[in-house]
Each structure stands twice: as structure tokens, then as C-alpha cells.
Amino acid sequence: MLHNKMNKCAVAVKLGLMVGTAVLALPTMADQAAADGAAKEQQVEVIQVRGIRASQEANLNAKRFANSIVDAVTAEDIGKFPDKNVAESLSRITGVGVSREFGEGEKITVRGASSATNRTLLNGQTVATADWFILDNPGRSFNYTMLPSALVSDLEVYKSPMASIDEGSIGGTVLLRTRRPLALEQNTVNLALESQYSDSSEEWDPQVSGLYSWKNDDENFGVLVSAIKQDRTVVRQGIEILGWPTNADLDLKVPSHIGVPRFEQARERETLFVSLQSRPTDSLDIVLNLLDSKVDANNHNQNWLIFPNNHAADLTNTVIENGSVVAGEMESGGQAAYNFINRVSSTETKSFDLDLNYVADEYELHTQVGQTKAKGGTYRETSWEYTPIGGTGYSFDLRGDKPSASTTVDATDPTQFQAGWIWGGSKPTTDEETYGQFDFTIPVKAGVFNSIKTGAKYRAAERTQDRLAYSWHWPSTIDASSGSPNYMAYIFSECNTWDKCGLYSGNTSIDAVVNGNMTQQFFHNRDAMESIAFGGLNGYAADYAQHLNLAEIWAVEEDILSLYLQGDFEGEGFRGNLGVRYVSTDQTSGGYEFSGETWGLATVVSKLDPSNPDYLTPEILEWRTIDNDYSEVLPSMNLAFDLSEEQILRFSAARVMARQNWNDISTVQTYGSLNVAQPTGSASNPYLKPQIADQFDLSWEWYFDASSLLAVTYFHKDIKSYRSFSTFVDQRYWEEGDEWKDVTFTRPENGTGGKTDGIELSYQQSFGDFGVTANYTYTNAERDEERDLTKPGSGLVEGTSDQMVNLSAYYETDVFSTRLMYNYRTEWYKGLHFNGDELWNDAYGQLDASFTYNLTEAVSLSLEAVNLTDEQVVEYNTDEARLFSIYENGRRFTAGIRMAF
């Protein structure tokens, strides 16, 4: 990739200047998160958290004595949930919603704010992340599949900000803390051996986690090592519609593709975490944290598709609902295709973090430096398409809980399918951030103020995306005796139907959520397909070209300098903080500027001689950058009144900000299939400004027992600018059809604002050996922009469910404990689909359960169940009649043994 790399020398110079400025100015401030962390170490040693009831008391203790509006979950409570990553643990918190596209929690929303507008910090810092799925676009949201729940000691969701906490969140900031060796007993050992069964794949997968923590007898040096390995065989199947364009001839919305897909993945997650802690004096504490987490995510997808919109005028027996064709028939000659897609995918995150705290009589100093890197994506994709010989008749009905789709051709007979096309490529991404911060605290006695905190932080980040396209139909050096002009033509001459060349490997039934014979399909032989594509066939070596897909290659650099001042105060019956944070952001978006005679491609690998005139090199090819700079002043205030020993009234007010998604501020342009009647695509906008909001919260909390709470919170957010969209039309070359086609592109822009407000209700109480927890969130999110159905995304707020509910009940004795948990949220808008259509997720509720039996004080048996009611993920296009997808991820059951010494 030909983009400008970050200047490391410049980064070092800026950090050095910042250090000098901070020292010369002598404002002193300890980082709030570090101070809270030190306090938590003391609490852990004193509280002796064991069991569900005790962990809930610790959760309430953290919430009760916080100066902000905070919800907390401790490690003990995380261990009692049937959660395999942190997102699933967060789903138990009031106001937090979780997406589960592949059956496991991936991204979160907080108080109606989308996943891109909430930050997750590990030990106070960013964790780089790179998505493995080729259809995902790099965003600000953290992918929690990278972070196993066993790694975390406790987590907090800050819903009201403080000046001393990093900016970047509209809904809330998630602070995750890892364990520290000096906070644990000497030679602490935690070990979990588990096996997980997924009923969708009918596979048992091993899951192992272990922790060892050591410290010397003087308790001034310790080492902690945690290793986690979790495998999961993922199978997702269902029905999907890949677009609802308005057919110009019928003036109706007609499905572009209707497919019955089967997605399979062998997911292997390995995480290693090492923490070294030194406390050479009572005043100095040094912690070095190292993290390496990798997910191998190779996957393959097959999809049996029909194309109703390509011949919409020929459909008969159509059923129309709300201007959409939701059922119809094609007697014969209809277009259809089998797509078989193999992907080699992975993602890996590495972090280095050095944290130093020094406590003197006159001040406290905190400094933290480090770097986090991630790389991931699809490193190789191969897609083969075979079509029914002579076309096919078909029928479809997308109504009801179980739609139907059938064809006249038998999709279990590989002899009925002829060769169509081969394409492929790669989409690797990177994410990197280097950071340094210095914080000081000065104890004061100035009226009600007891300390002044100040500090500075510098972050240098870079996000990149590469994109390669493979061409098997390129003119090649394949032996002339083959009789074919290129390697793809030779493959199709030898493998002219799918039963040839070992490509067929039996039949399958995908009837979980669909009726009709399109559920009866044949499998492709992945190994044979890969061998032919990249190895060779009949003694002829595989021959293909690799081209840069210039419009999809980009890099964004971001330099952020933040300064803050915060005063903590306390008086008779009240406490809180008042502060301001100044943030300066410099963004540089880079991408290729190129002429269009090579269709946006530049060949980088081919067996051709570079002098060959067919070798693609645009006449104009130059890397261009666009600068976008802005600064914000973010004041905040948190105030807590002790109405009594058990009751607290809280008020907070603040200005907050969230930067736009990396992909949105890049220079990228992408588009979908060009073999459809009305192709669509998306484009970015490097000039986007951040989203700003003014917010206030009012909360009443009643702690009527050690493990009991009744709380009511009202929140209000005045959003200054939501992301909006505009469209434009540009032409793209369709290789298979050898023609230029008009593509309608959707581009983001800064739009009008709006308001979000809501109420959170929380209740928690224990009754002897029993206990219940319940919370409810109502969110009302409105935009000032008028709703215009002809303008996708207008008037809508991403990620907001009107209502969310969490219910939990447990029974616990010294011998065993059991817990039943239900999580529900109403429908929510997910943003624009890659084809430009509005995408909604239907209401979703999930029932989970866990059971633990204590063999001894140190050894326990566990049994966990996820998604007991086998809920499906249902998506639609604005109107529920326009179904987008129904996916079944199935239930998961985990049995294991846990040991803690």
C-alpha cells in the first residue's frame, strides 16, 4: 500500500514537548481511573468477594461511592454469567444493548448511542481492533470478540463524564481493568477447563483459561500471567434479501436477490496477558501490562440465489404489501446462481502499557505510556459462481415467520449447474495508536474543594485499509496446448458442471428458518476449490492477476492533544467534581487519485511481462491527502447529595463528543453487485466534523440493604449534529458483462441534530438464599431532520431501542448456585446496509442460565446455557414487510470445572 506512514520522530518530539510543558507548568493531577484502581485493590483485599450475593454487594459499593453516574460489574459476577466475552457481561447493565450477529456479543450501544459513539478503554487506554469479516467497515466501535471475559477484574460504565476521563463517547465510556499481582494472594491459581456445544454446528469445542499470580514475601514485586484459548465452531443459516430497489417499470420495491445461505466458521481465540508490578517504596507503584489476543476466523459461505428484480415485469401471482413485492413466481428462464465463497480471515491485537503512580505528601503523579496495534481482515477471498443450465423457474413468499423460496431446478443435483464466474481478493486492515499522558493531583483546602487535578495526553493513531482484486480471466501464459485464452476459461472448460473436478461433496438441508426446496442444496468441496484456484489443474499451474482496487484503499492519521483541569469537592452531605477538557484533533485522510481508463484497478502481481499492454496501470496514479482539523472545549460537572445514609441524589451536566467512523472519514468508494438492475454503493467524506452533545442526568439511588438497590435515572442529550446522507450517480465497469453501469452512491455528511432522553429503572434485592435483579430502560431519540422515505437514513437515530429489559434471579447456598437471566430489547435502526438500504433489527430477547456446584472451597463444576429459547436474528428494510434476513445461530451449552487456589 502506497500511503504515508506516521512519522515516529515527530511523535517522539511532540511527546517530549508535552512532558516539558507539563513539568514546567507544575499543575499536578492523578488520573481518576488510576486512583479508583488503587482503591479497588484495597477493597478486593478487604471485602473478600465470593459468591453471587457478595459480588453484587461489591458492584453496588462501586456504584454508591463513585462521584459520577456509574454501573459496575466485578470479576466474581462476570464469572457467574455464561459470558465468553466482555460485551455479553455488559449486556446485563442498565441502558446497554448488545449486537449478536453471529450468536456472540460483538458491539454495544449505551443509552441509545450507536456502537461507534461509545468508547472502551482497557486500563484507561484504547485497545486497537481490526475486524475479521470482509463486509465490516473500520469504525470506532470496539469488537468485543477480541476480549474474553476471564481477562477482566472489573468493569465500569461511566454514563456521566469527568474531565479526567478520555473524551469520545456520546452514550458512555466503558472502563475495563485487568488484575494486578500485588492485589492477589501469593501463588494465586485460577483454572477453568470447559467444553462448549453448539446445536447449530453439533460440535463440541474446548475452552481453557488459566491464571497464575506470584508476589515476593515483601509484597513489593509480582508477576501475573493469564492465558485463554476458546474455540467455537460457528454455523449460521437462514434467508437473506440483499436489496430492495424501486423498480422503475413497476414503481414498486422488488427484491434484488433472495438467497438461502449457510455460513460456517472455525473460530479460534487465543489470548495471553502478562502483568508485572513493582512497588519499590510506599510512594511508587509501577505496572507493565502486555496483551496479545488473536482470533483465527477462517470461514466459508454458500448461497443459493434468485434475482427477482432483474426480470420484475415477468413475475406472476405477485403479492404487494405497502408498495413492495413480497411474493411472486417466475415460470421459467429466471436468473439464479450458486455463490461459494471461501475466506482466510483473522484479527490480532497487541498492546504494551506502562503505568506509573507516585504519591508524595504535596502531590500525586501519574504517567502512562504505551502502544496498541491490531491487524486483521480477510487475507484471501475466493468466490465461484455456477448458474442453472437454461435458467430456472422460481417462486417466493417472504411473509410470515418462516418465508418460502423454491426453484424448478433441483439444487441438490450438481449436473444441472454450469460455470459462471470466478472472482476474489483481499481486504486487510490495520489499527495503531501510540499514547502518553501525565496527570497530577494537588491536595488543597479551598472552600469545599479538596483536590485539584490536571493533566495532558497525546495520542497518535493510524487506521488503514488495503484492497486487492484477483482476476483468473486475465490474459495469461497458460500453455497454448490447453486451448484456452486464460486460466478461468480453462477451469470452466474442464469443470463445466459442478460435479466435475471434485467440487461436489454431498448434500445438505437448510430448513431451520425457510420453507421450500431452495433449502435443499449441495455442498462445495472447499479444499478442491482452493487447490484449483491457487494450485493448478491437470498439470497446469494456477494463473491469476492481482490488482489494487484503488478506490477502496485508504489511510487515516489522527493526532489528538487533550488538556484538562478538574476540581474535586466534598462537604457536609455532598461531593462531586467540576472540570473542563480541551481537545485538539488533526486528521489526515489519504487515498489514490487515478484516471478511469483501467476501471479503478492497477495490476501488482501477474505472470505477464510488465510491458504487456494489457497490464493495468492508470495514466494518473497519485496518493493524495486531505486535512481536517478541529478543537472542542468540554466542560463537565458531577454532584452527589446524601439525602440520608441510604439515599443519594445525583446531578450531572456535560458537553461530550464522538469522532466519526474511520471508514466514513476516509477516501473510500465501494459498490455491490453490478449484475443487478440498479447497482448501489457507498462513499466516504473526509471533511466530517465530530458529533457533539450537551447532556444532563438526574438520578435517585436508595441502598436499602447491603445487596439491595432501587434507583431511577433521567437522562437528556441535546445532539448538535447527526450523521446524514446524500446520494450521487457514477459509472463503474462490469467485467463479466463487459459494460459500464450507473451506480447510485450514498455519502455521509454532517446533518441536523436532535434530542435523546429516557429513564432507567434499577432494582436489586436478596431474600435469604434467593435474589433478583431487574432493570428497565426507556429511550426516546428524535432528530430535527424530517423523515423522508426517499432519502435513506433521514430522521433516524442508529442503535436506539425504545425499550430494554434485563431480568435475573438466583438461588445460592454454600454448596451450589444457579442463575436465570433474560435480556430483551425492542427493534432498532442499524444504519445503512452496504447496498444503501436502511437496515433494522427486529426486537430480540435471549434467555441464559448458569449453574455452579462447589465440590470443595477451591473446586467447582459449572454448566451454562446461552440462548435457551433459540431466538433468531431478524432484520428488515424499514417496513417489516420488506424482510432483509432471518439468521439462526442456535443454542450453546458449556460444561466445565473451575479451580481457584
Side-chain angles (χ1 to χ4, degrees):
M1 179 172 178
L2 303 176
H3 62 268
N4 296 326
K5 289 293 182 182
M6 190 181 304
N7 189 320
K8 306 299 183 184
C9 180
V11 173
V13 170
K14 290 183 178 180
L15 283 171
L17 289 174
M18 188 178 65
V19 174
T21 302
V23 172
L24 289 174
L26 287 180
T28 55
M29 156 117 206
D31 171 58
Q32 179 68 33
D36 290 347
K40 286 181 178 298
E41 286 187 14
Q42 297 172 3
Q43 291 171 9
V44 168
E45 293 178 341
V46 173
I47 293 175
Q48 297 282 325
V49 178
R50 294 295 298 273
I52 297 175
R53 189 183 302 103
S55 66
Q56 291 194 343
E57 290 181 16
N59 296 343
L60 294 188
N61 189 59
K63 178 181 179 69
R64 182 174 186 173
F65 295 105
N67 279 347
S68 297
I69 297 177
V70 175
D71 285 297
V73 182
T74 64
E76 177 75 9
D77 213 16
I78 293 172
K80 298 299 181 182
F81 292 143
D83 304 331
K84 297 308 172 191
N85 70 47
V86 176
E88 295 178 333
S89 300
L90 285 166
S91 71
R92 319 296 175 184
I93 289 180
T94 313
V96 178
V98 176
S99 66
R100 306 175 188 267
E101 275 75 8
F102 290 92
E104 183 178 344
E106 291 192 12
K107 299 174 182 178
I108 67 166
T109 61
V110 182
R111 287 182 165 181
S114 70
S115 59
T117 58
N118 299 293
R119 290 201 68 200
T120 296
L121 304 177
L122 182 65
N123 297 319
Q125 305 300 334
T126 301
V127 179
T129 181
D131 295 318
W132 56 264
F133 192 40
I134 195 168
L135 296 181
D136 285 340
N137 291 314
R140 300 279 181 177
S141 54
F142 180 73
N143 190 335
Y144 281 93
T145 58
M146 293 299 302
L147 209 58
S149 57
L151 184 67
V152 177
S153 69
D154 60 86
L155 61 86
E156 293 177 331
V157 180
Y158 276 77
K159 298 175 180 176
S160 66
M162 297 190 296
S164 55
I165 295 180
D166 280 7
E167 78 293 336
S169 298
I170 296 291
T173 301
V174 180
L175 296 184
L176 309 175
R177 295 183 180 87
T178 54
R179 295 174 172 86
R180 293 185 172 185
L182 296 186
L184 300 176
E185 294 294 331
Q186 189 179 53
N187 296 318
T188 294
V189 175
N190 289 335
L191 182 64
L193 305 175
E194 299 176 319
S195 183
Q196 182 181 89
Y197 176 79
S198 300
D199 65 1
S200 59
S201 64
E202 299 182 344
E203 295 283 347
W204 285 94
D205 296 309
Q207 302 189 343
V208 180
S209 64
L211 177 148
Y212 174 72
S213 182
W214 171 88
K215 61 184 176 182
N216 60 9
D217 293 337
D218 294 332
E219 297 190 359
N220 57 19
F221 180 75
V223 179
L224 181 150
V225 178
S226 178
I228 301 162
K229 179 174 174 55
Q230 296 176 340
D231 293 349
R232 182 182 168 212
T233 304
V234 179
V235 172
R236 186 181 76 170
Q237 52 191 17
I239 184 172
E240 57 188 18
I241 292 82
L242 300 182
W244 283 92
T246 300
N247 186 279
D249 295 330
L250 303 180
D251 194 25
L252 296 170
K253 287 189 174 292
V254 181
S256 60
H257 316 61
I258 300 175
V260 180
R262 179 182 173 90
F263 174 93
E264 296 186 22
Q265 180 184 60
R267 183 179 297 183
E268 300 177 359
R269 177 167 54 202
E270 296 179 350
T271 302
L272 177 65
F273 175 74
V274 178
S275 180
L276 293 87
Q277 185 175 11
S278 175
R279 195 174 290 156
T281 69
D282 291 340
S283 300
L284 180 61
D285 184 77
I286 305 171
V287 180
L288 174 64
N289 291 321
L290 305 172
L291 171 68
D292 189 339
S293 185
K294 182 178 182 180
V295 177
D296 287 328
N298 294 345
N299 58 92
H300 58 102
N301 188 79
Q302 67 178 64
N303 205 351
W304 173 215
L305 297 148
I306 56 176
F307 299 71
N309 191 47
N310 283 10
H311 306 283
D314 298 324
L315 293 174
T316 61
N317 297 325
T318 56
V319 176
I320 301 170
E321 290 188 2
N322 301 334
S324 305
V325 177
V326 297
E329 296 181 15
M330 185 80 173
E331 183 175 348
S332 63
Q335 185 176 349
Y338 251 131
N339 282 349
F340 300 100
I341 306 172
N342 293 334
R343 304 184 182 105
V344 177
S345 305
S346 68
T347 179
E348 183 174 14
T349 292
K350 294 184 178 182
S351 293
F352 159 90
D353 179 77
L354 180 63
D355 189 308
L356 182 148
N357 286 278
Y358 181 78
V359 180
D361 293 336
E362 300 82 11
Y363 66 91
E364 296 179 10
L365 165 68
H366 167 258
T367 181
Q368 197 167 358
V369 295
Q371 186 178 65
T372 179
K373 294 183 177 181
K375 61 179 181 179
T378 295
Y379 292 100
R380 191 177 75 206
E381 179 185 54
T382 318
S383 304
W384 287 27
E385 180 176 278
Y386 271 64
T387 60
I389 298 172
T392 181
Y394 58 75
S395 63
F396 63 92
D397 189 339
L398 304 179
R399 296 171 294 174
D401 295 332
K402 198 169 184 179
S404 65
S406 294
T407 59
T408 56
V409 68
D410 181 2
T412 65
D413 183 357
T415 66
Q416 299 300 305
F417 290 83
Q418 63 187 356
W421 198 255
I422 298 177
W423 71 97
S426 64
K427 184 183 174 183
T429 64
T430 68
D431 185 13
E432 179 179 342
E433 179 173 301
T434 302
Y435 56 85
Q437 74 178 70
F438 302 85
D439 309 281
F440 296 87
T441 298
I442 304 176
V444 299
K445 293 183 180 179
V448 297
F449 285 94
N450 52 34
S451 70
I452 299 297
K453 303 178 178 180
T454 188
K457 183 170 186 176
Y458 178 73
R459 298 162 50 200
E462 183 182 36
R463 200 76 152 92
T464 74
Q465 176 179 292
D466 281 343
R467 193 70 164 101
L468 280 177
Y470 297 170
S471 296
W472 281 266
H473 64 288
W474 205 246
S476 67
T477 57
I478 191 169
D479 194 316
S481 64
S482 68
S484 298
N486 57 62
Y487 187 55
M488 186 173 77
Y490 178 69
I491 292 174
F492 287 164
S493 67
E494 298 296 306
C495 317
N496 59 316
T497 56
W498 198 258
D499 61 313
K500 307 289 180 59
C501 305
L503 294 171
Y504 168 73
S505 65
N507 295 334
T508 185
S509 178
I510 308 175
D511 55 5
V513 298
V514 193
N515 287 321
N517 70 4
M518 282 185 69
T519 63
Q520 307 306 306
Q521 302 178 15
F522 58 76
F523 272 130
H524 73 291
N525 185 330
R526 175 179 179 138
D527 292 337
M529 177 175 155
E530 292 279 288
S531 176
I532 294 171
F534 298 103
L537 180 64
N538 297 337
Y540 294 104
D543 187 21
Y544 60 97
Q546 298 183 37
H547 319 275
L548 295 177
N549 195 336
L550 299 172
E552 295 187 44
I553 298 174
W554 56 264
V556 178
E557 296 180 11
E558 192 170 75
D559 293 341
I560 301 170
L561 177 64
S562 56
L563 309 169
Y564 72 90
L565 180 66
Q566 178 178 308
D568 291 352
F569 57 81
E570 186 173 4
E572 186 65 32
F574 68 92
R575 66 186 188 278
N577 54 71
L578 178 67
V580 62
R581 190 175 185 92
Y582 169 79
V583 184
S584 173
T585 305
D586 297 336
Q587 291 173 342
T588 302
S589 300
Y592 283 111
E593 181 178 293
F594 53 90
S595 51
E597 73 275 10
T598 62
W599 319 300
L601 301 176
T603 308
V604 292
V605 176
S606 176
K607 291 183 178 178
L608 291 170
D609 187 299
S611 63
N612 189 303
D614 290 324
Y615 196 93
L616 297 181
T617 304
E619 182 177 348
I620 299 174
L621 180 61
E622 191 172 351
W623 186 262
R624 298 286 191 179
T625 59
I626 297 173
D627 294 330
N628 184 29
D629 306 332
Y630 51 85
S631 59
E632 300 293 339
V633 177
L634 308 172
S636 62
M637 181 187 69
N638 290 279
L639 184 59
F641 292 99
D642 296 323
L643 302 179
S644 67
E645 290 186 2
E646 296 84 20
Q647 297 184 53
I648 300 174
L649 180 67
R650 299 183 189 270
F651 174 78
S652 72
R655 168 161 283 201
V656 294
M657 66 173 286
R659 298 175 181 87
Q660 302 285 355
N661 269 337
W662 295 104
N663 192 73
D664 289 338
I665 59 174
S666 71
T667 58
V668 70
Q669 290 187 3
T670 63
Y671 52 91
S673 300
L674 296 179
N675 61 348
V676 297
Q678 292 153 287
T680 57
S682 62
S684 61
N685 181 357
Y687 296 103
L688 287 175
K689 296 299 183 181
Q691 186 173 327
I692 306 295
D694 293 332
Q695 68 173 51
F696 71 83
D697 305 82
L698 184 63
S699 174
W700 171 73
E701 301 164 4
W702 179 25
Y703 299 88
F704 55 91
D705 194 17
S707 59
S708 301
L709 166 71
L710 180 63
V712 181
T713 302
Y714 171 76
F715 59 90
H716 176 91
K717 300 178 187 293
D718 183 3
I719 312 295
K720 303 305 179 184
S721 175
Y722 278 110
R723 183 180 58 170
S724 187
F725 295 92
S726 60
T727 60
F728 65 93
V729 177
D730 201 3
Q731 287 195 328
R732 294 294 182 268
Y733 180 69
W734 178 31
E735 289 181 286
E736 186 176 356
D738 190 23
E739 63 176 292
W740 290 87
K741 303 198 71 170
D742 287 338
V743 178
T744 301
F745 288 89
T746 303
R747 172 187 290 148
E749 57 187 24
N750 287 109
T752 57
K755 290 179 172 58
T756 297
D757 62 357
I759 294 177
E760 295 177 342
L761 304 176
S762 300
Y763 167 71
Q764 179 177 314
Q765 189 171 5
S766 60
F767 307 89
D769 294 335
F770 293 90
V772 294
T773 299
N775 60 64
Y776 167 81
T777 304
Y778 170 76
T779 305
N780 177 46
E782 297 180 349
R783 292 181 62 169
D784 297 335
E785 181 184 36
E786 291 187 8
R787 183 76 170 119
D788 182 355
L789 294 178
T790 65
K791 185 180 179 182
S794 62
L796 299 176
V797 179
E798 292 182 34
T800 303
S801 291
D802 291 343
Q803 302 180 70
M804 294 193 296
V805 176
N806 281 293
L807 301 173
S808 175
Y810 70 85
Y811 177 76
E812 181 181 50
T813 69
D814 292 337
V815 178
F816 71 91
S817 64
T818 183
R819 178 183 284 189
L820 194 65
M821 293 149 288
Y822 181 70
N823 176 269
Y824 173 82
R825 61 185 299 194
T826 56
E827 63 184 9
W828 68 97
Y829 172 58
K830 302 176 76 170
L832 297 187
H833 193 267
F834 62 79
N835 59 28
D837 287 342
E838 294 174 351
L839 180 64
W840 291 74
N841 204 112
D842 203 3
Y844 184 86
Q846 181 167 302
L847 181 66
D848 304 326
S850 65
F851 175 84
T852 301
Y853 181 81
N854 299 320
L855 293 174
T856 69
E857 187 175 336
V859 181
S860 62
L861 301 177
S862 64
L863 180 63
E864 301 166 346
V866 174
N867 193 20
L868 274 170
T869 52
D870 198 16
E871 294 297 316
Q872 299 165 346
V873 177
V874 180
E875 298 172 319
Y876 59 89
N877 170 227
T878 309
D879 190 315
E880 292 186 21
R882 293 197 295 273
L883 178 69
F884 244 133
S885 64
I886 302 177
Y887 295 126
E888 183 179 73
N889 292 302
R891 306 174 183 86
R892 287 182 284 145
F893 302 92
T894 304
I897 182 170
R898 296 171 180 171
M899 292 162 278
F901 303 97

